[in-house]
Amino acid sequence: MYTWDHKSSQSIWSGLRVLPIMNDEIQMFKALIVVHKILQEGHPIVLREAQAQINWLDTCARMSGNTPRNYGQLIQAYVSFIPVSYTHLTLPTILLV
């Protein structure tokens, strides 16, 4: 995976911010799936770098309010799930410190 090769996810976050995914709810949902996959399988530094992206995730949830294809509730639920899932993943790191 890219994050293991480069030991960073900054370029991925930058790319997601530049893409016009906020205009299309399906693209936004797919981007959230990619984010979740990167958090699960990416380099450990990704978890630390993702903590700075919580505002972007919240923006995704807010922008998906009433969507024509009814992905809004699904996106909001997924956004609320992602921080919980990666907080769980960082727990062993916190215990080791």
Side-chain angles (χ1 to χ4, degrees), residues 34-53:
V34 169
V35 167
H36 190 203
K37 188 82 163 170
I38 290 169
L39 291 172
Q40 284 182 326
E41 299 178 12
H43 190 275
I45 193 76
V46 171
L47 297 173
R48 197 171 324 138
E49 293 172 350
Q51 291 173 351
Q53 306 303 325

Side-chain angles (χ1 to χ4, degrees), residues 13 16-17 19-25 28-29 31-32 52-67 72 75-76 78-80 83:
W13 292 110
L16 286 173
R17 288 177 178 274
L19 293 173
I21 63 171
M22 298 293 183
N23 299 331
D24 185 358
E25 61 195 279
M28 187 185 309
F29 183 69
L32 292 173
Q53 306 303 325
I54 290 178
N55 289 334
W56 181 80
L57 291 169
D58 290 339
T59 302
C60 288
R62 281 194 312 274
M63 296 293 288
S64 67
N66 292 327
T67 55
I75 290 169
Q76 290 171 355
Y78 205 49
V79 166
S80 66

Side-chain angles (χ1 to χ4, degrees), residues 79-92:
V79 166
S80 66
F81 170 74
I82 289 175
V84 170
S85 67
Y86 80 75
T87 302
H88 170 70
L89 292 174
T90 60
L91 187 59

